Amino acid sequence: MPAANPASSPKDTPAPPSAGVASRRLLPLNALKAFEAAGRHLNFTAAAEELSVTLSAISHQIRQLEELLGVPLFNRTRKGLVLSPEGQLILPDVQQGFDHLAHALARLEARRGEGPLTISMFSTVAMRWFIPRLPRFQARHPDIDVRITTSMKPVDLEREGLDCAIRYGNGDWPGLHATRLFAEELTVVCHPDLARSIHKPADLVGHKLLHSQNRFEHWRIWLIAMGVTEVDPTVGTVFETRSFTIQAAVQGMGVAVMDPAFVAEEIKAGRLVQLFDKTLPVRGAYWLVCLEHMAEAARIKLLREWLIEEVSQ
């Protein structure tokens, strides 16, 4: 009878992956928070200030965690505190765990109608369209706090713990409930001094074009629609956002093509002039979007109803 293989004996057989799951209950949350803050700052004093505890409490919690894990998490060097190899290994996962927990709680608060109503949008939409109208929403619903975040790219509402967003496109986003707000249009604006020499689209020859980086094709679209071939739509000054482009136009730096919704205040105040009465519609529109299962949440419904009322005016 062959001898038993020592590597396969029950005593030495590695525990299955699930065996470590139970040990998670033994890790104290406060110690993990202390480790995450200290690892981010690489400074126990800064971690103590952030968590509103004493320096000795931070040291005690991290020492407790090191004893439970059986490894050092920090080393002290001449240059200061550094993470040990083991600390470097686990810090990203600990941070991700806290992020997941924060997002889960944010989604729960949103479902229960607690916490701020978080909404994401382009910075230009926020500055030029949404924020000027926001006081009317707050006057009507003073119990709802609004938190605005801005992004140049579409955001993942669920992953980032957001209630809703204002997006640009055709409204066809899988898994999202979309309500159309307003279509995008184009008009040409400039400083009043420049406007004196521009009476028809062809008069744009010789004037500097102002472009927005994420709407760079708009000058080409507008010039083709107006039948203007003498102006090169690819030359001129390019700005990162439409807000920067509008400010450059206000300063008299050139001529901009812009959605009239974003320059209404400047035109009304006389800081900009709309050169031609005709506006050019383009394909895209702005939509209020939220996750399908959040569409009937009370606060989102109130925001949606108010936005529809605003755009109807």
Side-chain angles (χ1 to χ4, degrees), residues 42 66 72-77 80-86 88:
L42 291 178
E66 289 175 328
L73 298 175
F74 294 95
N75 293 321
R76 293 190 180 277
T77 69
L81 193 69
V82 297
L83 285 161
S84 70
E86 294 83 1
Q88 293 178 27

Side-chain angles (χ1 to χ4, degrees), residues 136-284:
R136 293 195 284 272
F137 178 77
Q138 293 183 319
R140 184 178 299 182
H141 305 290
D143 56 323
I144 300 178
D145 292 327
V146 177
R147 180 179 298 164
I148 301 169
T149 66
T150 62
S151 173
M152 297 292 288
K153 299 179 181 179
V155 293
D156 186 324
L157 296 179
E158 186 166 18
R159 183 174 60 83
E160 300 185 33
L162 297 166
D163 294 307
C164 50
I166 294 179
R167 279 191 181 178
Y168 177 80
N170 60 10
D172 183 20
W173 294 288
L176 296 181
H177 180 278
T179 302
R180 189 176 185 274
L181 298 178
F182 60 94
E184 185 169 41
E185 298 177 323
L186 299 181
T187 194
V188 175
V189 295
C190 68
H191 189 277
D193 290 345
L194 290 179
R196 297 190 183 101
S197 62
I198 304 173
H199 307 288
K200 58 185 183 297
D203 292 340
L204 291 171
V205 174
H207 287 278
K208 184 177 287 294
L209 304 185
L210 304 178
H211 301 268
S212 303
Q213 185 172 297
N214 63 342
R215 291 292 192 277
F216 189 81
E217 77 283 1
H218 278 177
W219 262 119
R220 180 185 61 82
I221 293 172
W222 190 88
L223 290 168
I224 290 174
M226 298 299 127
V228 178
T229 59
E230 301 88 350
V231 178
D232 185 347
T234 66
V235 300
T237 307
V238 182
F239 298 90
E240 184 179 16
T241 71
R242 284 169 290 175
S243 289
F244 294 164
T245 308
I246 293 168
Q247 187 59 38
V250 169
Q251 296 299 320
M253 294 177 60
V255 186
V257 61
M258 193 62 55
D259 191 315
F262 300 143
V263 289
E265 290 299 318
E266 282 74 15
I267 293 173
K268 182 178 179 180
R271 294 189 294 271
L272 289 177
V273 172
Q274 182 174 340
L275 290 174
F276 315 109
D277 292 335
K278 184 178 180 180
T279 59
L280 177 68
V282 291
R283 289 184 178 182

